[in-house]
Amino acid sequence: MTKANSGLANCIGRLAVGVSLAALAFPYAAQAQTADDPAPASDEPVQALPSSEIVVTGSRVSNGAPVGATAIVIGRDDITDSGAVTIDRVIKELPQNFDLGVSENSRGQAGGSGNIVYGNTVNLRGIGPYATLVLIDGHRVVNNGRSTDPSVLPTLGVERVEVVANGASAIYGSDAVAGVVNLLPRRNLDGVEAFARYGASEDGAFDEWSAGAALGKVFDRGQVMVAYEHVYRSNLSGDDRDFFTSDQRPFGGNDYRITGCAPGNLSYGGNTYALPDRYTQGNAGDITAGTVNLCDSNPGQDLFPQQQYNSVNATGSYELTDWLEFSVDGFYSKRKFRRIGSVINTRLTVPSSNAFFVTPPGFTGDSYTIDYSFINDVPPTQTTGFAESWQVAPELRVQLPFDWELNTLVSYGETSDFSGGYDGLNRGALTAALASSDPETALDPYGLGRTSQSVLDGLFDQIFLAPTKGQLTFYEASANGPLFALPAGDIMLAAGYERQEFDAQLGLARGNPDTPITFREFDRKVDSFYGEMLIPIFGPANAIPGFQQLKITAAVRHDSYSDAGKTTNPQFGIDWRPVDMLTLRGSYGTSFRAPTIPEIYGNSSALFGQSYQNPDGGPPLLGFAQSGANTDLGPETATTWSVGADLDPLDNLRLSVTYFDVAYDNQVSANLSNLAILASEDQYAGTGVILRGQDARDRVQALIDQGYAVLNQPIPGGDIENVELFIDGRSLNLGKSITRGIDFNMRYLMELGVDDRLTLSASGTYLTEYKVAVAPAADLLDQRNLIFQPLKFKARVAANWDHGPMSVRVAATHVGGYQNIAITPSEKVGSFTPVDLAVTWRVGDSFPAGPMEGLELIGEVRNLFDQDPPYVNIAPGPNGSGGYDASAANPIGRQFAIGARISF
């Protein structure tokens, strides 16, 4: 914006325009504008921006970093240098981001149970996967009603990623509690860029490859760009990692093996007998009371699934006149996944009518039970599906008199998620096969391979299909510009209106193969008004000693939900530069998060039999978790504030530090996938979330009487008296938390000579406090640095040496040690610090004239020293982890990658 002209007439004219536009669109700030020029390249994706750079996230009126806060920018070169195959994995390198909940690696934390398509999102501070708002070009993105996966955009189609780890509900509305992540599409590509990359683990158990191309043209009055990528990542099987085992005694841990084995364990008369490999009537007496077969609980299970991505995005803009510009952005993404689960094991009730029945010596009953695994009968279970979405957003920008700008936008997008399992155990067919006296239709419960294939096909034919569809229509009208001039600069005002119309269809088909999918339909409408003002008090024109610059911002936003009430949230920021090299800043605001539609209404209403980590050691405990609706679910609220300093003591040195405080109330807790919940059982006292003994039996029976099906693992023997544990896994307003800590960033550039430069960078986050009350009446307890919670210290350091046509990059990511309280006594878990090495040869610089121009060759070694994940004494579970912590460490090991990139 140009500075306002002096004079009363201009001042009155500008004020009149501002008031008129505010009346039209009061009180919203202008939309985030995409910078036409790329952010200056950096060598490490975790850094605070110099104040001279243009940041479009976190403010509607500031053209630098948001007043009172700092922005982390992952620039175009950073994305390229990262080597990560998708944008979500680039963002995972940030120390402020925690891999908890909505992650392909671990689904055992908050939000994980809804992640049925194994996507990834951003979880700033570890506060929660739904507490960080992900935007594209400053606008909301269509998603599955839960969270947004940044991988919907190809890496080639993103100019930069801006991260503001500060509450921003006054600017953007719901979900921006921990902060905002804004994906800025490319708009300045003038030519062609293409790449291909292949990587694999040293042992060959994992590989990935990606390839893509982008085409752009910049012309006098506009630009156009389109980018496409294909990415393939293989699964990693737990069978290929020795630490993923139930018998962890060799590592100093517990023996978590189970009794559902092949051969199994026979029980009758109050005794248990380990069956031999071949148990027939001829050796019926070769069993001994009190013996037991033990085996792995999750053989063959994936540590993370196979994923395939196809994504494309495009941008275009054209100046129709000197005062009117039309632009349009869009994307399409489809991600397919396949995850191999564990082998089904269960307790069989074998009647004497079974065609293969063996009568042990002295047995006089009509039936006995066998704990049995189908590992030799059928493959492990498998889940397949996809996440597909698209969105298009046309926009008009109108340049008005007095340097005002009017923006109008309408975007529409659709999403379709699907998760399907087709090999669930048919309990009715199982009962019939066990009772059959015909060898052709009977199940062999002794594992001698005598069960016919047709019987097995009929036993494992149950489907569990869970589609989710959504449509988002988003409207926005906003205006911004100067009101009048002060000695330090213009007072800037932005105001506007937004409307969201979201429709969701939650589908389900469960049971026999011909069961149709039924959908429940829901809708949500949100009307929002918001405004922001920037007031410069001191600046270059009126600076005095101690006040080189002083500016403040104030913002307010009102949101009205059709199903979650109304909320008004303010935010204030201040920047004070007492001397040229130092900026002090602070911010304060309140935030709000409306519960998602799936949180309110649930994916399904059922009881899931699951194996829970036993804090006392030994085999996991069988419990039954309730899923379903909670129509009384309310919104979450938070108060956030921060103070910080940016110091530039040298021209090429930047230091930044921020202290943050987030007080989060009425948090939604969902424990459907939390298989370590018993470690915190005392904290849930009086809530009904965890019930044992008769209370558990009464609750489970009541739900069965209401029509709840028992899925996954059945009630042992079908007898309610065998139920000992119940978990309420629905979404509940139970929690509150206080998160405090320090972020730091450093970047230093050394010019060593002509075409010879060394860049050093470091960033990290240190939590000084993380206290949580899991229930309204519970005490706030210190949860910092405990397993599956935000960790005390995470950091990343990097060194990048550019020497002529060669670049060498070394980066280390550090995750500090923590305490494993899932066992008694608790266990100290070591730190994890993998080191990555990358070498780039700019071939075109070595051979500038010829076909090699614009060609780069890249070689990478990830986890250079092949560091194993630190051992964690926890049983393997279906939602991640087991011998290691999937939320804090990477199980792949050393990886090698090669790639090529060309531009012309």
Side-chain angles (χ1 to χ4, degrees):
M1 300 292 178
T2 60
K3 182 175 288 189
N5 296 326
S6 61
L8 181 60
N10 277 336
C11 177
I12 293 173
R14 291 164 190 266
L15 183 59
V17 171
V19 171
S20 300
L21 290 172
L24 272 173
F26 179 77
Y28 179 38
Q31 68 181 48
Q33 299 176 25
T34 303
D36 292 331
D37 296 323
S42 65
D43 302 294
E44 161 62 19
V46 184
Q47 61 172 339
L49 273 178
S51 58
S52 62
E53 295 184 5
I54 296 176
V55 178
V56 300
T57 306
S59 175
R60 310 278 177 176
V61 292
S62 176
N63 61 1
V67 175
T70 189
I72 301 166
V73 169
I74 305 172
R76 180 68 227 151
D77 286 351
D78 302 322
I79 295 170
T80 301
D81 292 344
S82 168
V85 294
T86 55
I87 287 293
D88 56 296
R89 292 175 173 85
V90 175
I91 300 172
K92 279 187 178 183
E93 296 179 353
L94 297 176
Q96 292 83 358
N97 188 20
F98 289 78
D99 199 24
L100 297 168
V102 179
S103 166
E104 65 181 346
N105 304 309
S106 177
R107 298 173 61 238
Q109 299 77 49
S113 60
N115 187 25
I116 57 177
V117 292
Y118 295 92
N120 295 306
T121 192
V122 184
N123 187 350
L124 293 176
R125 313 286 188 216
I127 292 174
Y130 303 146
T132 299
L133 179 61
V134 177
L135 306 171
I136 294 180
D137 201 19
H139 308 299
R140 287 188 176 262
V141 186
V142 65
N143 60 35
N144 56 15
R146 300 175 181 89
S147 61
T148 299
D149 190 332
S151 70
V152 294
L153 294 190
T155 62
L156 271 177
V158 177
E159 181 61 41
R160 66 184 186 272
V161 180
E162 297 180 352
V163 180
V164 178
N166 196 54
S169 285
I171 308 298
Y172 298 111
S174 179
D175 307 334
V177 176
V180 179
V181 174
N182 193 10
L183 313 179
L184 281 302
R186 296 182 80 171
R187 298 187 186 281
N188 59 354
L189 177 63
D190 197 9
V192 177
E193 184 176 336
F195 82 98
R197 178 186 182 276
Y198 176 79
S201 61
E202 187 173 35
D203 63 355
F206 165 81
D207 71 333
E208 63 183 8
W209 68 271
S210 57
L215 171 66
K217 178 65 178 177
V218 178
F219 45 92
D220 288 343
R221 303 189 69 88
Q223 58 81 217
V224 64
M225 189 281 304
V226 61
Y228 166 77
E229 275 177 18
H230 177 82
V231 175
Y232 168 84
R233 294 186 87 241
S234 76
N235 65 318
L236 179 64
S237 173
D239 288 351
D240 292 321
R241 293 296 177 263
D242 59 1
F243 47 78
F244 190 74
T245 179
S246 295
D247 187 2
Q248 297 179 16
R249 291 175 298 175
F251 302 94
N254 295 343
D255 187 355
Y256 296 111
R257 289 178 296 171
I258 62 173
T259 59
C261 303
N265 292 284
L266 185 151
S267 297
Y268 70 92
N271 291 312
T272 300
Y273 304 83
L275 293 178
D277 288 339
R278 297 189 62 85
Y279 188 58
T280 65
Q281 198 60 54
N283 64 341
D286 292 349
I287 54 176
T288 303
T291 58
V292 63
N293 290 320
L294 297 174
C295 57
D296 264 351
S297 60
N298 298 76
Q301 178 179 300
D302 282 346
L303 301 186
F304 53 77
Q306 174 186 295
Q307 304 260 23
Q308 292 190 65
Y309 301 74
N310 283 286
S311 54
V312 60
N313 77 313
T315 64
S317 61
Y318 186 74
E319 294 180 3
L320 300 172
T321 69
D322 291 340
W323 54 269
L324 179 62
E325 181 183 23
F326 172 78
S327 64
V328 61
D329 297 351
F331 73 86
Y332 170 82
S333 172
K334 187 168 186 178
R335 174 178 55 84
K336 297 180 180 180
F337 73 91
R338 183 189 70 185
R339 183 179 187 270
I340 297 173
S342 59
V343 174
I344 292 178
N345 62 79
T346 189
R347 177 168 293 175
L348 307 175
T349 299
V350 186
S352 58
S353 60
N354 182 272
F356 308 107
F357 190 84
V358 176
T359 304
F363 176 77
T364 59
D366 295 326
S367 65
Y368 49 65
T369 63
I370 296 177
D371 289 346
Y372 183 73
S373 170
F374 289 93
I375 188 170
N376 297 322
D377 301 301
V378 293
T381 58
Q382 191 173 127
T383 304
T384 59
F386 61 83
E388 183 178 25
S389 61
W390 65 269
Q391 189 164 342
V392 61
E395 179 178 10
L396 280 175
R397 294 187 180 93
V398 183
Q399 299 298 323
L400 300 174
F402 308 111
D403 295 323
W404 275 77
E405 182 176 275
L406 174 67
N407 301 313
T408 60
L409 176 140
V410 177
S411 69
Y412 179 79
E414 295 185 1
T415 184
S416 177
D417 287 5
F418 179 82
S419 177
Y422 302 88
D423 50 10
L425 182 57
N426 187 327
R427 300 290 172 181
L430 177 64
T431 299
L434 287 168
S436 175
S437 58
D438 182 353
E440 293 300 318
T441 58
L443 172 67
D444 174 10
Y446 310 104
L448 303 186
R450 295 172 290 185
T451 306
S452 69
Q453 188 60 49
S454 61
V455 170
L456 291 174
D457 292 342
L459 289 178
F460 297 94
D461 67 348
Q462 297 297 280
I463 63 172
F464 189 94
L465 312 181
T468 299
K469 297 181 179 181
Q471 302 84 39
L472 173 67
T473 305
F474 179 82
Y475 307 91
E476 181 176 8
S478 62
N480 71 305
L483 285 180
F484 51 84
L486 294 177
D490 292 334
I491 292 180
M492 304 295 295
L493 173 69
Y497 166 77
E498 279 182 4
R499 180 175 174 84
Q500 302 172 52
E501 298 176 355
F502 181 66
D503 297 300
Q505 300 88 44
L506 307 181
L508 179 67
R510 181 175 59 216
N512 293 326
D514 58 354
T515 303
I517 297 175
T518 58
F519 284 92
R520 296 173 295 154
E521 298 188 2
F522 307 96
D523 65 84
R524 167 177 287 174
K525 295 177 175 60
V526 188
D527 290 294
S528 305
F529 299 88
Y530 45 95
E532 184 180 6
M533 182 177 288
L534 168 67
I535 304 174
I537 300 173
F538 288 99
N542 66 337
I544 61 175
F547 289 91
Q548 297 302 303
Q549 184 183 72
L550 180 65
K551 53 185 177 181
I552 61 175
T553 57
V556 65
R557 178 176 175 121
H558 177 78
D559 298 285
S560 178
Y561 282 75
S562 60
D563 60 348
K566 300 177 180 181
T567 180
T568 301
N569 294 283
Q571 182 170 308
F572 305 93
I574 183 170
D575 280 357
W576 172 33
R577 186 179 299 165
V579 293
D580 285 340
M581 71 173 63
L582 175 65
T583 298
L584 304 176
R585 48 186 163 75
S587 69
Y588 171 87
T590 63
S591 296
F592 168 90
R593 188 182 80 83
T596 67
I597 288 175
E599 282 181 315
I600 298 172
Y601 299 103
N603 295 318
S604 63
S605 295
L607 284 165
F608 288 86
Q610 302 184 124
S611 297
Y612 288 86
Q613 173 80 20
N614 186 347
D616 297 326
L621 303 177
L622 178 62
F624 296 87
Q626 177 189 359
S627 70
N630 178 11
T631 55
D632 295 326
L633 200 64
E636 302 174 336
T637 59
T639 300
T640 63
W641 63 271
S642 67
V643 293
D646 302 314
L647 179 65
D648 299 284
L650 303 172
D651 288 342
N652 294 324
L653 175 63
R654 182 78 190 279
L655 305 172
S656 179
V657 64
T658 302
Y659 177 84
F660 57 87
D661 183 298
V662 182
Y664 207 171
D665 294 320
N666 215 34
Q667 279 185 268
V668 175
S669 300
N671 289 298
L672 185 61
S673 60
N674 183 3
L675 302 183
I677 190 175
L678 298 182
S680 307
E681 184 171 1
D682 57 334
Q683 300 176 42
Y684 289 94
T687 65
V689 171
I690 302 175
L691 300 177
R692 289 185 180 265
Q694 191 59 48
D695 290 338
R697 289 188 282 275
D698 291 344
R699 184 66 178 274
V700 170
Q701 185 62 62
L703 291 171
I704 292 174
D705 293 343
Q706 294 174 29
Y708 277 64
V710 179
L711 304 178
N712 197 26
Q713 297 186 47
I715 296 174
D719 187 350
I720 195 67
E721 293 302 317
N722 291 326
V723 172
E724 294 292 338
L725 176 64
F726 167 83
I727 306 294
D728 190 341
R730 299 175 300 160
S731 295
L732 305 168
N733 287 116
L734 292 178
K736 55 183 176 180
S737 65
I738 296 175
T739 307
R740 298 182 176 118
I742 298 170
D743 287 338
F744 65 88
N745 295 272
M746 182 278 291
R747 183 170 184 259
Y748 183 47
L749 173 65
M750 290 184 287
E751 296 290 351
L752 304 178
V754 178
D755 294 330
D756 198 359
R757 182 179 70 172
L758 178 65
T759 305
L760 304 175
S761 60
S763 64
T765 187
Y766 182 90
L767 291 187
T768 60
E769 186 174 345
Y770 180 68
K771 291 185 176 180
V772 177
V774 299
D779 295 330
L780 280 166
L781 300 178
D782 186 6
Q783 300 289 294
R784 182 185 66 148
N785 226 38
L786 302 181
I787 189 170
F788 303 138
Q789 301 289 351
L791 303 182
K792 180 170 63 176
F793 183 58
K794 293 180 65 183
R796 185 171 173 85
V797 297
N800 200 100
W801 181 33
D802 296 310
H803 183 73
M806 304 296 295
S807 291
V808 179
R809 185 171 187 266
V810 179
T813 301
H814 177 77
V815 178
Y818 55 94
Q819 206 70 18
N820 174 18
I821 62 167
I823 59 167
T824 304
S826 64
E827 167 201 34
K828 175 67 176 178
V829 178
S831 61
F832 184 58
T833 311
V835 176
D836 301 333
L837 171 67
V839 178
T840 300
W841 177 25
R842 290 176 288 278
V843 182
D845 290 353
S846 299
F847 305 96
M852 298 295 187
E853 186 175 358
L855 175 64
E856 295 181 357
L857 300 178
I858 305 103
E860 301 173 51
V861 184
R862 297 199 160 211
N863 196 350
L864 178 64
F865 303 109
D866 198 23
Q867 183 180 7
D868 286 333
Y871 171 69
V872 182
N873 187 1
I874 188 170
N879 296 320
S881 301
Y884 84 111
D885 181 353
S887 69
N890 188 328
I892 296 176
R894 184 185 290 128
Q895 304 170 63
F896 298 94
I898 56 173
R901 185 176 297 268
I902 190 167
S903 57
F904 53 90

